[in-house]
Amino acid sequence: MSNLAFACAHCNGHKGTDIAGIDPMTSLLVPLFNPRTDHWADHFRWDGPVLVGRTSTARATIRVPAINVGRRIPVRTMLMAEGVY
């Protein structure tokens, strides 16, 4: 249990067993964000409903589980409008 982290089925399915990913800005292989050792605010920020990576680790972490892809942005927009996100 100490090694588990909460993730939705969409993100978990995309991430799988990956511990690294390609930073789309630099094309380098970098480790993914580790919620046990990394600080969220050092790596990410919100631009409305879009999660933005401040670091190569964050950009790869957003890319691997497809966090900003498809219906995710419109759903986040609706949840934010309702004050639940």
Side-chain angles (χ1 to χ4, degrees), residues 46 48-49 67 72 75-85:
W46 287 107
I67 288 173
R72 306 192 59 79
V75 168
R76 266 189 231 130
T77 300
M78 289 186 303
L79 292 171
M80 288 175 164
E82 293 178 16
V84 295
Y85 196 92

Side-chain angles (χ1 to χ4, degrees), residues 56-71:
S56 58
T57 289
R59 291 186 296 269
T61 300
I62 291 167
R63 181 180 188 197
V64 169
I67 288 173
N68 289 327
V69 174
R71 293 185 8 191

